[in-house]
Amino acid sequence: MIEFINVNKTYPNGVTALKDINLKIEQGEFVAIIGLSGAGKSTLIRCINRMHDINEGTLNVNGVDVSNLRGKQIRKFRRKIGMIFQSFNLVTRTSVINNVLVSSVPELPSWRKTLGLFPKDKKIAALEALDKVGILDKAYNRVDQLSGGQQQRVALARTLAQNPSIILADEPVASLDPVTAKVVMDDFKRINQEMEMSILINIHHVELALEYADRVIGIRQGEIVYDGKSEEVTQEVLDSIYGSVTEIPHMNNPEEANV
């Protein structure tokens, strides 16, 4: 479970990204976070794994107060939280399986890290993760031979190989075409349902949020202005999230996605 209690986040430049956030996310939920760029969406999910520190309030993840973690505790804590980025964050000049195996590096002794020698069980886990996202046949291809959608699925497989309880995704389909974006979102949904894994996605495309997420959180200027079921999102709700913006980002207008 993830719980924000009166959480505030202000950056050193004085910008307040989160204002008095109170939020509880149960294990196994699929949550989409929507809002304009700069509204605080990325900050919200990056506070969960301590990529950003909060200034005030309490943030508990699976019973752990993340603000109290230090050094090795943070690294161990992050092992159970997968993070997926828009830019994939892959090493493109090596193989797909090597990129997935990177997830096991923190657990290996120094000599294995130095030589790049991975135990058999880690290799099996990497192959199983690739199978779950439908690209097992690409395991020994170089990453730079894959399409953008396939690369994002490699990133998802790398995260699954960590065996996390939570996946955080920061605009995972923003750089993909509409058809490929839906394929990747299908993977997220299937993993959420089959593995009962909590998934939080920061996403610009409203119709994808409504189609795939069970719950939608709308953020405007650092504040939660909507938190409810995706099927209950109305035009009035969208107006409260996006304000006076006349064109809300949609998949058929990808140029609007970075409003």
Side-chain angles (χ1 to χ4, degrees):
M1 183 180 72
I2 302 167
E3 186 173 19
F4 290 75
I5 304 172
N6 301 322
V7 168
N8 290 275
K9 168 63 180 178
T10 300
Y11 288 105
N13 63 3
V15 172
T16 298
L18 299 177
K19 303 174 186 176
D20 197 29
I21 299 295
N22 286 281
L23 181 65
K24 184 181 291 186
I25 298 169
E26 301 291 347
Q27 183 63 34
E29 286 195 89
F30 193 142
V31 181
I33 304 168
I34 64 174
L36 293 171
S37 291
K41 304 188 304 299
S42 291
T43 301
L44 182 75
I45 66 171
R46 291 176 184 224
C47 285
I48 293 171
N49 65 354
R50 278 285 299 275
M51 288 184 71
H52 295 323
D53 290 322
I54 63 175
N55 300 111
E56 297 176 334
T58 303
L59 176 51
N60 292 313
V61 179
N62 294 333
V64 176
D65 184 339
V66 299
S67 296
N68 291 332
L69 299 175
R70 298 290 182 272
K72 292 182 179 179
Q73 293 176 322
I74 296 176
R75 292 190 289 274
K76 183 177 179 180
F77 166 74
R78 286 175 176 163
R79 293 289 300 148
K80 288 299 180 181
I81 302 180
M83 185 74 187
I84 295 175
F85 302 90
Q86 176 181 343
S87 58
F88 316 142
N89 285 12
L90 302 174
V91 180
T92 58
R93 294 187 178 184
T94 189
S95 68
V96 166
I97 191 169
N98 281 346
N99 272 272
V100 178
L101 285 167
V102 164
S103 66
S104 65
V105 166
E107 300 175 355
L108 297 180
S110 298
W111 67 272
R112 283 192 177 273
K113 295 177 186 178
T114 301
L115 298 176
L117 298 176
F118 297 92
K120 183 178 179 180
D121 64 320
K122 298 298 182 185
K123 291 181 179 179
I124 292 173
L127 292 171
E128 288 176 343
L130 289 169
D131 191 33
K132 287 175 183 175
V133 297
I135 53 171
L136 179 59
D137 60 319
K138 305 294 183 183
Y140 295 97
N141 289 28
R142 276 179 38 143
V143 169
D144 56 11
Q145 297 174 341
L146 306 185
S147 67
Q150 289 171 330
Q151 290 189 39
Q152 191 59 288
R153 295 166 93 179
V154 174
L156 180 53
R158 179 182 58 194
T159 295
L160 290 177
Q162 294 177 216
N163 192 30
S165 61
I166 299 167
I167 290 180
L168 309 175
D170 194 1
E171 294 295 347
V173 299
S175 62
L176 306 179
D177 64 80
V179 173
T180 305
K182 288 180 72 69
V183 171
V184 172
M185 291 298 291
D186 285 340
D187 287 331
F188 278 115
K189 188 67 175 179
R190 188 179 67 257
I191 288 163
N192 166 252
Q193 293 177 334
E194 293 179 358
M195 304 179 70
E196 297 184 354
M197 190 178 297
S198 300
I199 296 181
L200 282 75
I201 292 185
N202 161 17
I203 188 167
H204 271 296
H205 301 302
V206 173
E207 72 274 23
L208 286 182
L210 300 183
E211 179 179 353
Y212 287 93
D214 304 312
R215 177 179 172 189
V216 170
I217 295 171
I219 297 183
R220 184 177 181 186
Q221 296 179 349
E223 298 179 291
I224 294 177
V225 296
Y226 177 79
D227 181 1
K229 296 180 179 178
S230 56
E231 62 264 28
E232 294 176 357
V233 174
T234 63
Q235 185 58 51
E236 183 178 359
V237 167
L238 293 177
D239 289 343
S240 72
I241 298 169
Y242 293 95
S244 60
V245 176
T246 57
E247 294 292 337
I248 295 171
H250 293 288
M251 285 299 293
N252 57 350
N253 289 303
E255 68 276 7
E256 297 170 5
N258 293 316
V259 173

